[in-house]
Amino acid sequence: MVAQLESFSANSTISLPNPVEGLVQVFTSSHRNFFTTVMAQALRIAGQGTSVLVVQFLKGGIGQGQDKPIQLGQNLDWIRCDLPRCIDTPQLDEAENQALQKLWQYTQNVVYEGKYSLVVLDELSLAINFGLIPEADVLEFLAKRPPHIDIILTGPEMPKSLLDVADQITEIRRSDRP
């Protein structure tokens, strides 16, 4: 006797009785060198067939921008601000400010369209603390996002209002052990 098995692909649409709510996760630390932890998670999830977007708001220097994402595999798009330098100060010239605002607007649009299931917003807390992206706009964005989309926020000194809406907070600390 031969039995026919139904096989599921990673891109199949499965109707669940109760939709899965997306999470807001925060990764924060007093230092800025923990991006690899978040990137490893994004790569793992993309490797399982989930569409992922990584947005680095304060990184530049490679002429990338939202029009030229780096694609890591089939499911992970990685974009940086279209700037000739990395931002490490709240003082931006007009072209730099426009590039950052354009990236923020693009990010909001693709999230509202539901193009990605996981979106990483790297160093968003610094952009907020520098006064480059209003905290109220980020809170509104999180409230209006489609409910199934996971968002990861990263950066030092995460504003309390964002910590208050987070479903999970990971604080990365240095160990005192040698």
Side-chain angles (χ1 to χ4, degrees):
M1 174 187 268
V2 176
Q4 187 172 16
L5 299 176
E6 184 177 354
S7 63
F8 295 95
S9 74
N11 296 325
S12 69
T13 304
I14 299 173
S15 178
L16 298 174
N18 298 312
V20 177
E21 288 283 325
L23 298 176
V24 174
Q25 300 175 56
V26 170
F27 285 77
T28 188
S29 178
S30 59
H31 53 88
R32 291 178 62 183
N33 58 354
F34 62 92
F35 179 69
T36 53
T37 304
V38 175
M39 192 61 167
Q41 180 177 344
L43 283 167
R44 180 178 44 77
I45 291 169
Q48 295 172 346
T50 300
S51 57
V52 177
L53 174 65
V54 175
V55 181
Q56 289 189 290
F57 287 101
L58 304 185
K59 298 288 191 264
I62 59 174
Q64 189 184 3
Q66 61 273 6
D67 298 329
K68 298 176 261 175
I70 293 172
Q71 293 182 312
L72 301 176
Q74 294 177 329
N75 299 310
L76 193 145
D77 291 339
W78 182 6
I79 56 177
R80 288 179 160 192
C81 201
D82 189 14
L83 296 173
R85 68 179 182 99
C86 292
I87 298 171
D88 59 358
T89 175
Q91 286 75 39
L92 303 182
D93 66 28
E94 186 58 33
E96 291 172 329
N97 189 47
Q98 284 181 359
L100 180 70
Q101 296 308 317
K102 188 175 177 181
L103 180 59
W104 173 233
Q105 189 61 50
Y106 171 82
T107 301
Q108 292 176 83
N109 290 341
V110 297
V111 168
Y112 295 149
E113 291 168 7
K115 183 175 179 182
Y116 299 95
S117 295
L118 169 64
V119 178
V120 176
L121 306 177
D122 185 46
E123 294 189 337
L124 184 66
S125 67
L126 284 175
I128 292 169
N129 292 334
F130 284 167
L132 303 173
I133 296 176
E135 187 175 330
D137 289 0
V138 176
L139 290 167
E140 181 181 347
F141 160 75
L142 292 173
K144 287 174 46 180
R145 81 185 195 287
H148 67 281
I149 296 177
D150 291 315
I151 304 286
I152 295 178
L153 311 173
T154 77
E157 301 174 20
M158 191 65 64
K160 183 176 178 340
S161 64
L162 294 180
L163 295 174
D164 289 343
V165 299
D167 298 297
Q168 174 185 332
I169 300 168
T170 301
E171 182 182 3
I172 299 168
R173 294 181 279 172
R174 291 189 172 146
S175 172
D176 291 336
R177 294 185 221 173

